[in-house]
Amino acid sequence: MCGIVGVVGNRNATDILMQGLEKLEYRGYDSAGIYVINKPESGRLIKSVGRIADLRAKIGIDVAGSTGIGHTRWATHGQATEANAHPHTSATGRFVLVHNGVIENYLQIKEEYLAGHTLKGETDTEIAVHLIGQFVEDGLSVLEAFKKALHIIEGSYAFALVDSQNPDTIYVAKNKSPLLIGLGDGYNMVCSDAMAMIRETNQFMEIHDKELVVLTKDNVEVTDYDGNAVEREAYTAELDLSDIGKGTYPYYMLKEIDEQPTVMRKLISTYADDKGNITVDPAIVKSVQEADRIYILAAGTSYNAGFASKSMIETLTDTPVELGIASEWGYNMPLLSKKPMFILLSQSGETADSRQVLVKANAMGIPSLTITNVPGSTLSREATYTMLLHAGPEIAVASTKAYTAQIAALAFLSKAVGEANGKKEALEFDLVHELSIVAQSIEASLSEREVIEKKVANLLATSRNAFYIGRGNDYYVAMEASLKLKEISYIQCEGFAAGELKHGTISLIEDGTPVLALISSSETVAAHTRGNIQEVAARGANVLTVVEEGLDKEGDDIVVNQVHPYLASISMVIPTQLIAYYASLQRGLDVDKPRNLAKAVTVE
Ligand code: F6R
């Protein structure tokens, strides 16, 4: 994780770096720093523990220059202290470096090359900049020293390096961590994410793994690590400045929850034509058709979205679906079917665990599809095919609209494949119509937010533990609902198959334990879940029910409009997103930036 921003050749470097860091803060927020320089040897290095606002408070008008690099950190090596915050400097202070990623052989580098060096902190990054400085001391040019270091360093990294004796250049390189060049008029930028540069430019250039870029105010020179020139076209980003603002919302999470009906409609217009015909890329459809098994690989919320879509995909396509936790499969790939197809579900398209699986799949010649919200992201570039979520930037750390968009995108894919297979269920499923109903159902749930806010105050204000229970798809929604609640409210919460509770876990239920029950399946299933509710209520649980219209009974707490069963996971999750939001708010927590977390998890 961590976020990097750099600019060369713009007199407002400090402002550009600070604005960029504010936009990158979702990537890590335990400490931050900037280095700004105008002419040789005049650089200023300012660091701070805490949020970007804490760093801003330390920056006076004297911190100015035309070249600079900045960093917001999510600690991997060493605690969140000023000494460990980036940028880091070489032994003499001549070189200044920011880094995102993990250098795997940093201890070996320290022993082999840096005897006698005194380090200020405990980070792997400091070792990298000392290494470069040492090679220059040994007589290499800066570029040669950087290249030599890149040949030695193993692991994931995005680097931006400034030489205080020549502040007209930023040296950049990356491997497995995201980094992008932004092209300005008379200046150039480098950044982990286009969002942080969009105020300055919409012209970008990708950097691929193991490429080195020498960036000056009017030149971008891309080479491989052996110095061979690489031709790279610039592209125009579709992003809009208004997409990344919070508007009048107190938190991004609430804005993103509210955007979900729009996202559903956007997906309809993207993946269906005016007559309702599905327009998913035929090459993707064919590739899925040819598979004897679909493997969905993902992490966290995206993994939960895969589960919530499993039975819909199986019913519509007639192809079995298996789910894999990306961080497990990267190293423990199970026995696969004869003709597998891998689907990588990832909001960011940058998750290192998912990428690890994709690298293996590519090596094994397995066709792959990345379903992501970020065009041009690593997973999208490296998979055989890509489908975009078109959900607009998701900035709150807790994912909401990406989850629902993933299920909807998978519905379009499944319908297209099922139709191509001549499956009755797919031919009869009017997805465009049903998804419009889902959009309305979401709107109806959103209009009930005040009711939900009150229910949460009664139920979750002081509790340390809670359970979500459900059967079938409701169980999968319960998994996501509990992840959302624990990540932003810090309430320990488990999503449980309602019928499984009595096989052990029910011993945790005591007077006042909150149990949130989800009911959207058939009458029979609903009756069983209600039986499980009775069991926990009899043991003192404080129960809240979220029930689909038609299955509701007197006394239910939240009733969700009925939608097509394939899509019920989307409508059922909405109240649970609001429950998590209000629980976090009522506890006085930072809803958008929960502790210890970061948005794009680019380390394994
Ligand atoms: C939780 C959340 C995470 C992500 C996970 C995978 O709200 O956002 O669990 O879902 O880190 O990230 P992506 O989808 O970007 O691969």
Side-chain angles (χ1 to χ4, degrees):
M1 295 104 77
C2 305
I4 288 178
V5 57
V7 58
V8 53
N10 190 309
R11 280 189 302 150
N12 295 324
T14 305
D15 176 50
I16 290 176
L17 295 182
M18 291 308 294
Q19 294 269 354
L21 288 180
E22 274 156 10
K23 292 283 174 284
L24 289 175
E25 201 173 20
Y26 72 93
R27 301 179 70 89
Y29 34 85
D30 59 39
S31 52
I34 59 167
Y35 173 79
V36 189
I37 185 164
N38 207 9
K39 41 185 199 303
E41 312 289 2
S42 69
R44 296 290 307 274
L45 177 65
I46 316 282
K47 304 194 209 184
S48 168
V49 172
R51 301 284 168 95
I52 304 300
D54 299 303
L55 177 65
R56 199 179 260 293
K58 288 176 95 173
I59 291 175
I61 45 166
D62 54 322
V63 182
S66 53
T67 293
I69 48 179
H71 187 272
T72 178
R73 180 166 186 251
W74 185 84
T76 55
H77 292 78
Q79 291 187 335
T81 60
E82 219 166 276
N84 288 334
H86 300 218
H88 289 286
T89 50
S90 59
T92 60
R94 173 175 167 183
F95 295 98
V96 189
L97 181 78
V98 288
H99 164 223
N100 169 19
V102 175
I103 299 174
E104 283 158 11
N105 58 341
Y106 78 107
L107 287 175
Q108 188 192 329
I109 292 174
K110 190 175 165 202
E111 273 169 27
E112 212 168 308
Y113 297 94
L114 301 177
H117 279 244
T118 309
L119 300 166
K120 296 191 188 103
E122 304 128 287
T123 66
D124 47 347
T125 311
E126 202 180 347
I127 283 167
V129 69
H130 273 244
L131 183 68
I132 296 163
Q134 182 61 54
F135 289 155
V136 172
E137 293 285 304
D138 294 345
L140 294 184
S141 72
V142 179
L143 192 57
E144 289 307 322
F146 191 33
K147 269 190 213 156
K148 184 168 175 184
L150 292 170
H151 279 292
I152 293 168
I153 290 168
E154 288 167 15
S156 60
Y157 51 80
F159 287 132
L161 173 79
V162 175
D163 172 6
S164 63
Q165 290 182 7
N166 171 23
D168 299 335
T169 305
I170 300 182
Y171 300 87
V172 171
K174 86 165 215 81
N175 185 40
K176 298 194 209 167
S177 291
L179 203 59
L180 202 62
I181 301 295
L183 305 167
D185 190 5
Y187 65 98
N188 284 312
M189 302 181 66
V190 59
C191 195
S192 310
D193 189 328
M195 268 196 301
M197 296 189 276
I198 199 73
R199 197 188 67 152
E200 322 303 328
T201 181
N202 65 355
Q203 295 298 305
F204 298 107
M205 192 186 278
E206 287 177 353
I207 315 171
H208 295 181
D209 283 353
K210 304 221 164 167
E211 286 180 351
L212 190 158
V213 184
V214 179
L215 201 63
T216 59
K217 72 182 179 52
D218 32 40
N219 198 30
V220 182
E221 195 184 307
V222 187
T223 64
D224 64 19
Y225 288 179
D226 296 320
N228 301 307
V230 173
E231 289 295 319
R232 183 70 35 77
E233 293 288 311
Y235 66 91
T236 307
E238 278 175 32
L239 264 179
D240 196 290
L241 200 52
S242 63
D243 288 344
I244 56 173
K246 220 166 27 185
T248 54
Y249 284 89
Y251 287 100
Y252 278 107
M253 184 179 178
L254 191 61
K255 173 174 179 265
E256 289 159 10
I257 290 173
D258 265 4
E259 283 169 353
Q260 291 174 107
T262 311
V263 174
M264 293 301 118
R265 292 178 183 123
K266 174 79 184 167
L267 282 166
I268 293 173
S269 63
T270 305
Y271 291 117
D273 66 16
D274 293 348
K275 298 193 182 88
N277 301 314
I278 308 300
T279 56
V280 175
D281 178 354
I284 301 178
V285 175
K286 186 161 176 283
S287 193
V288 180
Q289 267 188 294
E290 284 168 359
D292 62 359
R293 189 171 287 255
I294 297 168
Y295 294 88
I296 298 184
L297 286 312
T301 287
S302 296
Y303 176 71
N304 294 339
F307 259 119
S309 313
K310 176 177 158 65
S311 83
M312 167 187 72
I313 305 171
E314 288 180 336
T315 313
L316 291 175
T317 66
D318 227 3
T319 310
V321 175
E322 197 171 315
L323 266 291
I325 295 180
S327 58
E328 286 296 314
W329 282 44
Y331 297 92
N332 295 304
M333 185 87 77
L335 183 64
L336 301 175
S337 67
K338 296 221 160 28
K339 288 179 166 180
M341 166 91 191
F342 275 25
I343 298 184
L344 288 303
L345 271 190
S346 175
Q347 185 282 131
S348 64
E350 298 294 350
T351 301
D353 291 324
S354 303
R355 185 177 186 234
Q356 173 72 15
V357 181
L358 181 56
V359 167
K360 286 224 161 132
N362 285 344
M364 292 162 79
I366 298 169
S368 56
L369 163 67
T370 290
I371 301 186
T372 181
N373 203 23
V374 183
S377 54
T378 307
L379 289 175
S380 129
R381 282 204 312 267
E382 296 183 357
T384 325
Y385 308 104
T386 296
M387 269 180 85
L388 291 176
L389 295 174
H390 297 283
E394 192 181 66
I395 293 165
V397 165
S399 178
T400 51
K401 60 180 179 172
Y403 171 88
T404 47
Q406 282 166 340
I407 300 172
L410 282 166
F412 280 104
L413 176 63
S414 308
K415 171 149 168 82
V417 173
E419 282 182 348
N421 287 343
K423 266 231 86 187
K424 183 166 157 286
E425 287 81 351
L427 294 164
E428 286 174 356
F429 178 38
D430 187 351
L431 175 55
V432 169
H433 174 67
E434 298 298 348
L435 207 53
S436 320
I437 293 176
V438 168
Q440 287 166 19
S441 159
I442 299 175
E443 276 160 352
S445 291
L446 294 177
S447 69
E448 292 293 304
R449 70 184 60 176
E450 278 162 21
V451 178
I452 294 175
E453 186 176 5
K454 281 199 195 105
K455 302 255 178 206
V456 171
N458 293 336
L459 189 73
L460 297 170
T462 56
S463 40
R464 266 198 49 72
N465 313 308
F467 286 92
Y468 265 101
I469 59 169
R471 286 168 179 260
N473 267 340
D474 291 332
Y475 165 43
Y476 299 134
V477 176
M479 283 164 50
E480 170 55 13
S482 71
L483 175 62
K484 209 84 320 172
L485 185 62
K486 59 190 152 194
E487 81 176 304
I488 60 169
S489 74
Y490 315 151
I491 296 170
Q492 188 171 7
C493 182
E494 220 172 324
F496 233 82
E500 185 65 8
L501 210 59
K502 59 185 175 298
H503 297 289
T505 309
I506 200 165
S507 65
L508 294 174
I509 305 291
E510 52 189 21
D511 241 5
T513 305
V515 175
L516 298 93
L518 305 177
I519 303 179
S520 75
S521 310
S522 67
E523 295 267 0
T524 323
V525 174
H528 285 304
T529 304
R530 288 199 187 272
N532 302 130
I533 292 174
Q534 292 307 323
E535 290 157 11
V536 292
R539 287 157 181 87
N542 202 354
V543 177
L544 180 139
T545 49
V546 181
V547 185
E548 194 175 63
E549 184 191 15
L551 298 169
D552 56 310
K553 291 206 182 331
E554 209 184 319
D556 279 329
D557 294 285
I558 300 166
V559 179
V560 176
N561 283 9
Q562 196 172 35
V563 301
H564 194 289
Y566 296 154
L567 303 172
S569 306
I570 301 180
S571 56
M572 288 297 284
V573 86
I574 307 296
T576 74
Q577 296 172 340
L578 289 168
I579 287 169
Y581 174 80
Y582 286 118
S584 175
L585 203 64
Q586 287 164 8
R587 285 169 178 242
L589 301 172
D590 185 340
V591 175
D592 284 340
K593 298 190 195 93
R595 70 182 176 208
N596 303 340
L597 287 168
K599 185 91 182 149
V601 187
T602 53
V603 291
E604 280 170 30

